[in-house]
Amino acid sequence: MSRSSRWLGLPALVALAAGTAVPAAHAGQAAPVDVQLLSITDFHGYLQPYNDAANGEVQLPDGTKIKVGGAAYNAAHLKRLREGRRNSILFSVGDNFSGWPFEVDAFRDEPTVEVLNKLGIRFSATGNHELDVSAGFLKDHMERGRCFGEVNVDSCFTDSTGKRFRGARFPFLSGNIVSARSGRPILPPYNIEWVRGDRGRRMPVGFINLTVPDTPVGSTSYQPDLRALPLLETANRYAAELRRQGVRAIVANVHDGGTADGAGFNGCNNPRGPVIDFARQASPEIDAIFTGHWHAGFNCVLPDPAGAPRPVIEGLNHGRLISEIDLRLDRSGEVLRGESRAVNHPVTRDVPADPEVKRIADYWTARGAQRFAEPVARQKGDFTRTQNAQGESTMGDLAADVQYWTAGRSRKGRADLALVATRPRTGSNAVSRDLPYAKGTGAGDEDGRVTFGEAWNAYGYGNPVLTVSVTGEQIHQALEQQWQGGKFAPFAVSGNVRYRYDASRPEGDRVNPADVSVGGRPLDPARRYRLAALAYTLIGADGYTAFTGFGDAYRNELPDREAFIAYLKAKGTIEPAPLDRVTAG
């Protein structure tokens, strides 16, 4: 950090936020080195362009909305931005995958890695969604390309070049996600990129990579074998370590976010959020901050604790923006703060799409259509979300049975019972579609056939199935919490559970524990049970608080959707169960 940059006034700060260069405060210094930093964040596997507001539009400061996004257009804009730049570093702020488009999700996010490899990503911060499966999956499969299951069926799918998946050609990093047992980082905390000056000089630029701290307890990334260290403490520690190694230019690449009001994606009105607090307190040795996670777009200049201006930028999500910060280094490698420039670029579609990346995206879209039509099981009747008077449905019962079966696939995960929220008070509904017997409109369907795509859409939203220890009283209270404020939001229970309720009694006193049986035995309020449920429900995101304080969490191998596919393939044929698990009166 250059001390003289601390004296820049408001006009310089305004110019920086607007994406224009501040007049040089160090014109007397010879041969400065210009470094272009380009980033994307929260890409989530959105390979194709979308046209809806949330995924395919941005709003300009004048209120005009324009179409943006798509991997092929990202590639085209990146090529234009990097043209003629001697020192250009492209990286990601995390949440590259574990996305929502079927054509990437159904192939274990391998298509996204193929695209990112083609774009030339140099490294990525680890977002919370990078850990949606496990740390081992991230390191062994996504980075190193290690296969699991059957090749080209379960993993290591044939890519657009005809070769099998080999993993990312770039590393994932995180300084603050550590092993719960050893306390050591599970991934490298920082990386050093080298840039070139005149006469063969090489200068280091250090990047401290950080992950949102609630990752180990998040609904999709719940990992009981991990814990998170505070962002600020971790960043300051590694900034000092980099300085001791002689690195003078330091960037924080932080997968945690914030927001700002109005003024478009290059504005900064009333900035707030965790990363804004971080930016105001992080070590002055950090010269620039890239952020993500909140899917917001802003471009701020905030004073560091020493009073020097520091760019802080976030680039929305799903490939809609490319964030750029340009740094200028003096002969010692220090960043000339007053000459930094920051801007968010919309990924407009008024340029020719990159043909190679378009070919990759189109390949996976076509492959996704084929996978959607794959038959996975037969069915002997309709599975619907239509609930009877007691709140029970054939689709809800099926989902609960899937969770119970999934937990039983391993000794550690084995459960006494399972339940699933079929009409949650808040958030997403894991039981989202019917499975009708009759042929639907989807490709590959016929009467009595369940296709891969039908099953994928009917149950799940990328949530892990946890097996946890709870008391019988917690199970009782969860059943009581089905009624709140006069509304009935029922659970579905696995086939080894029966219970009766009396809706004529006051809320909170409608289920007698003596009228609940688990495995043919009465529910014991004092006993501890092993319960299989989605993490989303267990942490209270569904609006049920009864399981707060659960213990001994075990994350089962397969998350909800993959578990459902595996269940269907294992069973071969499914038949609706009688609606006799719940009685009223």
Side-chain angles (χ1 to χ4, degrees), residues 481-494:
Q481 287 180 358
Q482 295 176 111
W483 298 269
Q484 295 181 36
K487 294 182 179 180
F488 185 34
F491 284 117
V493 295
S494 51

Side-chain angles (χ1 to χ4, degrees), residues 149-494:
E150 184 178 348
V151 171
N152 209 32
V153 173
D154 302 303
S155 74
C156 292
F157 299 96
T158 303
D159 68 16
S160 69
T161 69
K163 298 177 181 178
R164 80 160 180 84
F165 180 70
R166 297 290 181 181
R169 294 200 293 265
F170 56 91
F172 293 89
L173 307 105
S174 176
N176 67 311
I177 300 297
V178 302
S179 164
R181 178 174 295 181
S182 69
R184 296 176 181 172
I186 63 168
L187 295 162
Y190 59 81
N191 59 307
I192 299 173
E193 302 289 330
W194 292 85
V195 298
R196 294 179 297 158
D198 58 357
R199 302 176 185 176
R201 286 186 303 143
R202 297 175 71 242
M203 292 182 174
V205 180
F207 295 83
I208 302 166
N209 300 272
L210 302 167
T211 306
V212 57
D214 66 1
T215 294
V217 295
S219 66
T220 60
S221 56
Y222 194 97
Q223 301 287 351
D225 58 341
L226 303 179
R227 65 184 177 92
L229 304 178
L231 295 181
L232 187 64
E233 169 189 303
T234 306
N236 289 350
R237 170 189 171 189
Y238 288 119
E241 185 170 318
L242 285 165
R243 291 288 291 191
R244 286 194 297 271
Q245 294 182 37
V247 179
R248 298 291 178 260
I250 300 175
V251 178
N253 189 28
V254 188
H255 191 78
D256 200 356
T259 190
D261 295 331
F265 46 77
N266 274 312
C268 186
N269 293 337
N270 187 28
R272 58 201 180 277
V275 84
I276 302 300
D277 297 336
F278 169 87
R280 288 177 169 137
Q281 301 173 62
S283 167
E285 307 299 349
I286 297 172
D287 299 291
I289 300 172
F290 288 82
T291 82
H293 186 56
W294 276 36
H295 296 191
F298 58 81
N299 181 8
C300 295
V301 176
L302 302 174
D304 68 20
R310 178 162 59 189
V312 183
I313 196 167
E314 183 167 335
L316 287 174
N317 61 326
H318 301 172
R320 292 187 288 164
L321 295 179
I322 296 168
S323 297
E324 177 180 7
I325 296 180
D326 296 323
L327 303 179
R328 176 162 287 182
L329 280 55
D330 69 15
R331 293 188 63 85
S332 71
E334 294 276 6
V335 172
L336 304 176
R337 287 275 194 94
E339 298 178 42
S340 297
R341 174 182 177 272
V343 61
N344 273 319
H345 301 279
V347 180
T348 61
R349 303 179 199 168
D350 56 356
V351 298
D354 182 271
E356 281 300 299
V357 175
K358 185 178 186 302
R359 180 186 59 80
I360 297 172
D362 290 346
Y363 167 84
W364 285 111
T365 299
R367 183 98 190 253
Q370 294 172 357
R371 168 143 276 208
F372 193 98
E374 289 176 10
V376 293
R378 302 293 301 179
Q379 63 187 94
K380 291 187 175 181
D382 291 332
F383 290 84
T384 76
R385 294 163 296 158
T386 302
Q387 295 176 345
N388 64 11
Q390 290 75 45
E392 193 175 356
S393 69
T394 52
M395 193 63 208
D397 286 355
L398 176 61
D401 290 343
V402 169
Q403 292 178 184
Y404 184 73
W405 176 86
T406 301
R409 284 162 57 91
S410 69
R411 183 182 59 82
K412 289 183 178 180
R414 195 169 299 150
D416 297 304
L417 73 160
L419 57 77
V420 59
T422 60
R423 195 183 293 166
R425 302 182 185 286
T426 59
S428 302
N429 191 343
V431 186
S432 52
R433 300 275 183 91
D434 296 339
L435 282 179
Y437 176 88
K439 175 184 177 180
T441 58
D445 200 11
E446 63 180 37
D447 289 354
R449 173 181 287 177
V450 182
T451 67
F452 192 109
E454 279 186 301
W456 195 267
N457 288 336
Y459 165 68
Y461 42 69
N463 221 241
V465 180
L466 304 183
T467 302
V468 301
S469 291
V470 296
T471 65
E473 180 57 26
Q474 284 178 290
I475 295 169
H476 169 226
Q477 288 303 317
L479 296 176
E480 295 284 10
Q481 287 180 358
Q482 295 176 111
W483 298 269
Q484 295 181 36
K487 294 182 179 180
F488 185 34
F491 284 117
V493 295
S494 51

